[in-house]
Amino acid sequence: MSLLGHDNAWREWDEALGGERMHHAWLLAGKKGLGKMTFALAAARKLVSEPGIPQPEGQHPDIIVLTNLPKDEKEERKRDEGKPYETKRNISVEQIRQMQARLTTRPTLGSRRAVIIDPADDLEKGSANALLKSLEEPPAGTFFVLVAHRPARLLPTIRSRCRLLRFPALADEEIDRLLIDSAPEADAETRAAAIAAAAGSPGAALDFVSQDLGKLDQLMRRIARHGDRDFSLRGQLAAEIGTRPDRERVAAVLDLAGATIAGMVADAPTAALTGLADAHAELVRLGRQVPTYNFDPGLLVMHIGGLLAAAAEASERADA
């Protein structure tokens, strides 16, 4: 079944699949939480399936998925037990080379094989260069599907060899209906906050509800509107985030802070726009660095609170 917002992507994929020559590399681009990986898996199964050849229900031998591995043996055990686990920050060159070794053999069931990389944004420099060699000279019957939340982070030479398939953000009304169906425990106020924070991403909206970010949202809005001269709100912010938040929660917090500042722009005086833009840009930069660097959670939270307070100060100076 197609997820919300996937109709055009399926139309393009099916038309290409039914054409004379299927492009060998595809770039699935759009913000995180739009279901691009779900699409990639379903599209890959369509690609490798051939009439008269029974297809397995579970893992397919002709679909290779490269993603971030567990960061250590402890996290690997959690994965094997079906528990949440922390991952390495990047997709390594060794993973690419292992995949390339498999491409020297024929597909198992039919004549086609699909390689999915999710997220391609997390390719190391060496792994990106190694992948480029396969994209330049793809083995017969091999097709690549790259999932990217920030396609601009990919090498231009990789992007140029892929056919782009865009996944648009959803309308607020669509996300609201999704939350009503998928998160009935969320009241109207929580749904409204989740929709504003998600900025068109259904996955982000569901994360907002599942991670119970409502109180964080209220604290961030208070800081961004009224400042935090005595640092008391930043202390509450740190307590609410927790002393040892996992990487996913930190990323959600940064996204929420960015959405808070972005939401101030429409009503902000012209003189405040530069300050708001600077604060938002810094949050975006931090969001890009979180998967790569080990930030001290306490210091990071205070920095986020400082950026929100700076947004309030920019508005106050403009109104003065």
Side-chain angles (χ1 to χ4, degrees), residues 259-312:
T260 300
I261 291 179
M264 299 171 63
V265 171
D267 298 325
T270 303
L273 294 179
T274 299
L276 294 176
D278 289 344
H280 188 270
E282 175 64 5
L283 288 166
V284 171
R285 186 186 68 81
L286 289 171
R288 290 174 178 169
Q289 291 182 341
V290 160
T292 306
Y293 298 100
N294 283 323
F295 289 109
D296 178 273
L299 293 177
L300 181 61
V301 169
M302 295 305 287
H303 187 35
I304 292 170
L307 292 171
L308 293 167

Side-chain angles (χ1 to χ4, degrees), residues 22-27 135 143-146 161-164:
M22 181 76 167
H23 196 76
H24 75 282
W26 293 70
L27 177 60
L135 295 179
F143 299 83
F144 295 88
V145 182
L146 278 58
R161 284 164 174 77
C162 297
R163 175 168 170 177
L164 181 63

Side-chain angles (χ1 to χ4, degrees), residues 56-309:
E57 290 293 332
Q59 186 174 352
H60 199 290
D62 293 327
I63 299 176
I64 302 171
V65 177
L66 300 184
T67 189
N68 305 75
L69 297 174
K71 74 173 187 178
D72 53 33
E73 292 183 358
K74 178 182 177 182
E75 298 304 314
E76 189 172 344
R77 287 195 296 272
K78 289 181 182 179
R79 180 198 62 183
D80 295 342
E81 294 169 0
K83 299 176 181 178
Y85 62 93
E86 288 191 56
T87 63
K88 295 181 179 179
R89 299 185 184 95
N90 300 110
I91 296 172
S92 69
V93 66
E94 182 60 28
Q95 288 176 266
I96 298 296
R97 287 173 178 161
Q98 289 176 0
M99 174 270 292
Q100 290 170 330
R102 290 185 60 181
L103 299 187
T104 61
T105 64
R106 294 177 58 84
T108 303
L109 298 181
S111 61
R112 290 177 168 179
R113 175 188 280 129
V115 177
I116 300 173
I117 302 178
D118 173 41
D121 318 48
D122 286 351
L123 289 166
E124 296 175 347
K125 182 177 180 180
S127 53
N129 287 325
L131 174 64
L132 183 59
K133 296 179 181 178
S134 293
L135 295 179
E136 290 172 338
E137 299 178 5
T142 296
F143 299 83
F144 295 88
V145 182
L146 278 58
V147 176
H149 312 313
R150 299 185 180 97
R153 295 180 62 184
L154 292 172
L155 292 175
T157 44
I158 287 181
R159 296 199 305 267
S160 67
R161 284 164 174 77
C162 297
R163 175 168 170 177
L164 181 63
L165 203 54
R166 292 190 181 278
F167 287 73
L170 299 188
D172 291 352
E173 296 79 9
E174 292 177 298
I175 296 181
D176 192 36
R177 288 195 295 270
L178 174 68
L179 290 175
I180 291 172
D181 292 339
S182 303
E185 72 280 6
D187 57 25
E189 184 178 356
T190 300
R191 294 201 312 273
I195 290 167
S201 168
L206 290 169
D207 283 346
F208 183 100
V209 174
S210 66
Q211 294 203 39
D212 194 20
L213 298 177
K215 188 171 181 180
L216 272 175
D217 178 61
Q218 294 175 9
L219 284 168
M220 287 184 180
R221 289 175 184 272
R222 286 178 63 188
I223 296 173
R225 290 172 182 166
H226 307 297
D228 183 31
R229 297 186 185 282
D230 62 0
F231 286 76
S232 61
L233 293 177
R234 272 170 271 197
Q236 294 178 47
L237 195 69
E240 186 64 25
I241 291 173
T243 55
R244 297 183 64 183
D246 59 29
R247 197 176 300 161
E248 287 72 22
R249 185 164 178 81
V250 171
V253 168
L254 285 166
D255 287 343
L256 183 58
T260 300
I261 291 179
M264 299 171 63
V265 171
D267 298 325
T270 303
L273 294 179
T274 299
L276 294 176
D278 289 344
H280 188 270
E282 175 64 5
L283 288 166
V284 171
R285 186 186 68 81
L286 289 171
R288 290 174 178 169
Q289 291 182 341
V290 160
T292 306
Y293 298 100
N294 283 323
F295 289 109
D296 178 273
L299 293 177
L300 181 61
V301 169
M302 295 305 287
H303 187 35
I304 292 170
L307 292 171
L308 293 167

Side-chain angles (χ1 to χ4, degrees), residues 36-52:
K36 300 187 295 299
M37 183 55 176
T38 300
F39 177 93
L41 289 168
R45 293 191 75 91
K46 269 193 175 187
L47 175 73
V48 302
S49 298
E50 296 181 14

